[in-house]
Amino acid sequence: MAETTHSDDFIPDDEDVNNALCVLAGSDPENCSYDQGYVKRQAVFACNTCTPTAAEPAGICLACANKCHDGHDIFELYTKRNFRCDCGNGKFGDFHCRLTAAKDEENAKNVYNHNFVGRYCSCDRPYPDADDQVNDEMIQCVVCEDWFHTRHLGCTVTEPEELQEMVCEACVDKAPFLRTYAAHLSVPSEEDREVNVTGEEESGEIEQGPSGHLQGQEVKALAAATGGFPCKRSRHDMSEACKLRDLQAQQGPPAGRGAVFFPSTWRCQLCTCTNCKRAYVGAQVHFLLDESDSVLAYEQRGLNRPFGQHPLMAATSSMDRVQQLEVIYGYNEMMTSVTAFLTQCAAEEKVVTADAIRQLFEELHAKKRRRTNAAHQ
């Protein structure tokens, strides 16, 4: 979940550390992403120093957060889809981007919400929230990309490790057909979780249940076999037969209120007939047909390393969790500074001494203190 600072009483767990690493690993720390246009998904940050009010919300890429806004009050927004870096455009007044100077006054296709001023959930509160005494995790809606406390989702949350994607109640109201899918693509029960490996499964074909969706452990097996994001659609999927209409005709549980949850492979099961495609566009959720749009896909790309564990995690394995998280967020800035230092020494034919290295890291530590102090003011 997005954070402004890491306070002394906040001890991140392995998931926090891995999430932070995933976000950074999937984005470019050196070059402003502006010239790439509206990036499909990237890490996005907001600068409370430069754009502190909701009147002019703005987001910046990872490289600009590191290089253009050093020492500013920065907070992470996790990832956003189809976003173009705002750094130095008309929302920043006289401030100019150091990496890409020529930018349009605004990025008209960017979508903003209250996250860009450090507010989240339907309760419109900051995170971490010093006034909130409830230990409640937050979950991101895959449609609007806002974050919600589980107690404010309007539904019972069970087995969170199985619930890969959530759509909040407000977004379901805009795309009510999603509630039908939720009723039929629910997280499987324990008795559904045994799989008999057949020749079809070994060849990449996974048996489907009577309602046309994957059953139990088959979801996990298919995800593992394809890197987590399968979607080899059958001929029935690609035809004009409407799968949604078939599901609506089946006797199922009554549609409830609140947010809805889906397993990681649910997007593969969405109907692709012409009428349904028009409905996705009309509800502005057409991106749900793209499995690579998901945060899970983005994170997997970021952690796709040939030898399993990311080298940064191996290097910090002896540190406590607070130190690990701080190192991860400071990693890109550190590498940029070290590279510049070594390049300068080589150009000036200077010997790299232990004292010089020590001074460099003292300067980096001083920068971090200035950032922390600015965030607490």
Side-chain angles (χ1 to χ4, degrees):
M1 178 53 220
E3 299 166 40
T4 303
T5 60
H6 307 296
S7 62
D8 293 337
D9 59 352
F10 174 71
I11 307 299
D13 56 20
D14 288 332
E15 184 178 357
D16 292 309
V17 175
N18 282 314
N19 284 345
L21 178 59
C22 291
V23 171
L24 294 183
S27 297
D28 188 346
E30 298 293 328
N31 304 292
C32 177
S33 64
Y34 179 82
D35 289 337
Q36 300 176 38
Y38 293 87
V39 179
K40 190 170 186 176
R41 183 168 294 282
Q42 65 175 315
V44 176
F45 301 78
C47 181
N48 195 43
T49 302
C50 296
T51 55
T53 68
E56 290 290 346
I60 58 178
C61 67
L62 174 60
C64 288
N66 285 341
K67 299 186 176 184
C68 300
H69 298 265
D70 179 44
H72 292 191
D73 181 9
I74 300 292
F75 51 91
E76 180 202 357
L77 301 180
Y78 203 50
T79 69
K80 298 291 183 183
R81 72 166 56 88
N82 298 331
F83 198 88
R84 197 176 196 184
C85 181
D86 286 321
C87 179
N89 68 11
K91 297 184 176 186
F92 286 77
D94 295 331
F95 182 90
H96 298 287
C97 178
R98 298 177 183 177
L99 302 179
T100 304
K103 292 185 176 181
D104 292 341
E105 283 293 297
E106 64 175 333
N107 295 312
K109 295 182 181 180
N110 279 357
V111 176
Y112 307 93
N113 59 16
H114 60 170
N115 295 172
F116 288 83
V117 289
R119 300 284 174 169
Y120 307 91
C121 189
S122 55
C123 62
D124 196 38
R125 296 293 301 170
Y127 181 90
D129 187 352
D131 296 328
D132 188 359
Q133 302 303 313
V134 180
N135 184 20
D136 191 2
E137 62 180 71
M138 302 191 79
I139 303 176
Q140 188 180 37
C141 173
V142 300
V143 175
C144 67
E145 299 187 301
D146 196 1
W147 291 82
F148 295 84
H149 298 100
T150 57
R151 66 186 187 273
H152 294 153
L153 291 176
C155 64
T156 301
V157 179
T158 59
E159 299 186 77
E161 70 278 2
E162 298 279 358
L163 305 177
Q164 297 291 340
E165 294 201 303
M166 180 273 289
V167 181
C168 72
E169 183 174 19
C171 288
V172 175
D173 287 344
K174 296 176 182 177
F177 49 83
L178 291 180
R179 205 170 291 281
T180 298
Y181 284 108
H184 292 274
L185 303 181
S186 59
V187 177
S189 60
E190 288 295 332
E191 57 267 25
D192 292 328
R193 294 186 182 180
E194 293 187 3
V195 167
N196 293 320
V197 178
T198 66
E200 285 184 332
E201 288 173 349
E202 290 174 348
S203 66
E205 297 294 333
I206 305 297
E207 182 181 357
Q208 295 191 352
S211 63
H213 64 274
L214 300 177
Q215 299 265 317
Q217 189 66 21
E218 297 160 1
V219 171
K220 292 184 177 179
L222 185 56
T226 59
F229 321 102
C231 269
K232 183 177 180 182
R233 297 183 184 273
S234 68
R235 292 179 181 176
H236 173 78
D237 294 329
M238 305 299 285
S239 73
E240 285 301 297
C242 182
K243 184 183 297 185
L244 175 62
R245 187 167 57 245
D246 291 344
L247 294 178
Q248 290 171 335
Q250 295 177 21
Q251 184 67 32
R257 298 298 302 166
V260 296
F261 289 85
F262 298 95
S264 59
T265 55
W266 75 285
R267 297 185 187 213
C268 305
Q269 303 302 302
L270 294 175
C271 182
T272 57
C273 75
T274 300
N275 287 337
C276 282
K277 286 182 177 179
R278 289 172 178 165
Y280 302 143
V281 173
Q284 298 182 327
V285 295
H286 50 282
F287 50 80
L288 292 178
L289 292 178
D290 180 5
E291 299 80 38
S292 64
D293 163 82
S294 71
V295 174
L296 184 62
Y298 172 89
E299 291 181 344
Q300 187 63 43
R301 291 194 296 271
L303 287 181
N304 187 19
R305 295 294 185 268
F307 300 106
Q309 187 182 30
H310 192 281
L312 180 60
M313 293 302 295
T316 61
S317 60
S318 61
M319 299 180 180
D320 65 42
R321 294 293 182 253
V322 172
Q323 290 172 323
Q324 280 185 332
L325 202 58
E326 291 295 344
V327 168
I328 288 170
Y329 281 109
Y331 174 75
N332 291 296
E333 179 183 5
M334 178 189 71
M335 292 305 297
T336 299
S337 299
V338 169
T339 300
F341 170 75
L342 295 177
T343 301
Q344 182 180 359
C345 287
E348 298 177 358
E349 298 182 350
K350 290 183 177 180
V351 177
V352 179
T353 65
D355 287 340
I357 293 292
R358 188 179 301 108
Q359 181 180 354
L360 172 65
F361 279 89
E362 286 177 353
E363 291 174 355
L364 290 174
H365 186 63
K367 287 182 179 180
K368 188 180 79 170
R369 282 201 306 270
R370 289 198 298 273
R371 268 198 307 272
T372 302
N373 292 338
H376 284 290
Q377 289 177 354

